[in-house]
Amino acid sequence: MMQPSRQEYDQKKEWERQEQQDHFRVAAKMMEFVGVVLGVITIFVLLALLFSLISWLSQDIASTFSILRTRFQ
């Protein structure tokens, strides 16, 4: 039975380390992608809320001026 040499052992450990590093890189890239997608979704939700607020504000201003105009006639 042949014993693996020190060089083979070191090479195996290096491959394992590289493989683990690759897994961490993939996980980091996936988290970055998920963060970008969530950021874009958040921006769209905030834009929808902003447009809703602007719409409500314009309707409120119109109704306020309508009430004021009827009181001063």
Side-chain angles (χ1 to χ4, degrees):
M1 191 147 131
M2 199 170 170
Q3 291 270 344
S5 70
R6 177 74 179 169
Q7 185 179 8
E8 289 172 348
Y9 176 78
D10 289 342
Q11 189 177 29
K12 182 182 175 196
K13 286 296 181 184
E14 180 64 23
W15 284 341
E16 289 173 357
R17 189 184 64 75
Q18 286 289 337
E19 206 171 287
Q20 187 179 23
Q21 210 172 35
D22 290 343
H23 287 220
F24 283 130
R25 277 193 201 109
V26 169
K29 295 288 183 182
M30 288 299 294
M31 291 300 292
E32 185 177 340
F33 175 74
V34 169
V36 168
V37 169
L38 288 176
V40 169
I41 290 171
T42 302
I43 288 171
F44 283 134
V45 167
L46 291 175
L47 283 173
L49 287 170
L50 181 63
F51 289 134
S52 174
L53 176 64
I54 291 170
S55 173
W56 172 81
L57 188 59
S58 67
Q59 290 173 359
D60 189 52
I61 289 172
S63 67
T64 300
F65 282 125
S66 174
I67 292 170
L68 289 175
R69 190 174 45 223
T70 58
R71 289 195 180 196
F72 289 121
Q73 284 182 352

